[in-house]
Amino acid sequence: MRKILPASILSYTQYGYLKVAKTLKSQCPECGRSGNFILKANYYQVKKTGLFAEGLCSECKKPSIFVIMLNDRSDQGVQEAEVYIYDPMASKGHLDEIEGNKHIPKDLVRSYVSALNVSQAKDNSATAVMSKRVIESVLKNYLGEKTKEQSLSQQFELLPQHVDLSKPIQSLSHLVHPDSPFYEMLELEREIDDETAVLLMELLEGLIEYLFVLPEKIESVHNEIERKLK
């Protein structure tokens, strides 16, 4: 699944206290081009948290599936419903990154791949079991075997003591120092070639994802799970 950013939503329709996307622009999972989609959703089949919609790509005319998250909170006024497009290649891209990362333990990769496979096979019970194994593997990588007897909750509380989550950001300080070649490039005092331009865009993407996308995504998923299980 790939989230549709608010800037890509071209028009809305009203559903209760929610503004729901009607027309949006997105990269098509079928043809790979950027196309417009007019969403058609059956509001008579609304679940507690969302519904499915379908939209035809304006470029290739092939349909794509969308998920509209309906967190109708009337006490917070009008809100925009989050929209996701089903894009198998988005998941594949993340999997390639994980499998190709030498710093990720092999047992963690195997657990994640297993969780992904059973999830795609719609085996929900197996997905829950494998997800727990992935979480345990992540925590073990940082905490070691000593804390294995503690609950997952206790282990998560210990995690910040074993991994410096601010280090990736602090490491950029020397890069943008006024005396650095990188800073000279930003100030147009040094030429920038095609390869460096690509690296610069990767840096911006990673910075935005690290500071804005990931924290918001984790918090959003956390809140959704809590609401779902109330």
Side-chain angles (χ1 to χ4, degrees), residues 7 9-10 17-18 22 24 33 59 61 68 72 86 90 112 121 126 177 184 188 193 196-197 210:
I9 299 177
L10 306 177
Y17 288 91
L18 288 172
K22 178 64 177 175
L24 55 83
R33 288 175 288 178
E59 299 296 317
K61 310 303 180 186
I68 302 173
D72 192 345
Y86 176 67
Y112 176 73
H177 190 278
E184 291 177 358
L188 300 182
D193 57 24
T196 307
Y210 189 86

Side-chain angles (χ1 to χ4, degrees), residues 94-108:
H94 287 304
L95 180 57
D96 287 342
E97 288 181 16
I98 291 173
E99 290 183 318
N101 191 320
K102 297 178 181 178
H103 299 291
I104 301 178
K106 295 301 180 184
D107 64 326
L108 174 54

Side-chain angles (χ1 to χ4, degrees), residues 3 20 28 42 107 148 196 203 224:
K3 185 177 181 179
V20 179
C28 176
N42 186 350
D107 64 326
K148 190 170 65 173
T196 307
L203 175 64
E224 284 300 320

Side-chain angles (χ1 to χ4, degrees), residues 33-192:
R33 288 175 288 178
S34 179
N36 290 349
F37 295 82
I38 300 175
L39 303 191
K40 295 181 179 179
N42 186 350
Y43 289 95
Y44 293 102
Q45 295 182 349
V46 174
K47 304 296 183 184
K48 283 185 177 181
T49 56
L51 77 158
F52 289 101
E54 187 178 90
L56 294 179
C57 172
S58 60
E59 299 296 317
C60 67
K61 310 303 180 186
K62 292 182 179 179
S64 286
I65 300 298
F66 296 81
V67 177
I68 302 173
M69 303 303 295
L70 300 176
N71 303 319
D72 192 345
R73 298 288 301 279
S74 57
D75 59 316
Q76 296 183 6
V78 176
Q79 295 179 307
E80 294 181 12
E82 293 183 345
V83 186
Y84 296 81
I85 184 172
Y86 176 67
D87 185 353
M89 293 309 295
S91 298
K92 184 63 171 67
H94 287 304
L95 180 57
D96 287 342
E97 288 181 16
I98 291 173
E99 290 183 318
N101 191 320
K102 297 178 181 178
H103 299 291
I104 301 178
K106 295 301 180 184
D107 64 326
L108 174 54
V109 174
R110 286 194 297 270
S111 297
Y112 176 73
V113 171
S114 297
L116 187 62
N117 288 338
V118 295
S119 172
Q120 292 175 341
K122 305 296 183 184
D123 189 336
N124 295 337
S125 296
T127 300
V129 172
M130 292 309 304
S131 295
K132 183 172 184 287
R133 187 170 297 176
V134 172
I135 293 172
E136 290 171 340
S137 185
V138 169
L139 293 169
K140 185 184 76 172
N141 178 65
Y142 288 102
L143 305 181
E145 296 286 349
K146 293 183 294 183
T147 59
K148 190 170 65 173
E149 300 305 319
Q150 295 180 310
S151 69
L152 292 181
S153 176
Q154 292 171 322
Q155 291 183 56
F156 267 113
E157 289 178 357
L158 292 172
L159 189 59
Q161 301 174 21
H162 295 263
V163 54
D164 187 355
L165 299 175
S166 64
K167 185 178 179 181
I169 298 301
Q170 291 174 341
S171 67
L172 295 177
S173 62
H174 76 280
L175 193 63
V176 294
H177 190 278
D179 296 330
S180 72
F182 181 79
Y183 187 80
E184 291 177 358
M185 183 191 69
L186 295 180
E187 291 291 320
L188 300 182
E189 296 173 1
R190 176 185 288 254
E191 266 193 52
I192 173 172

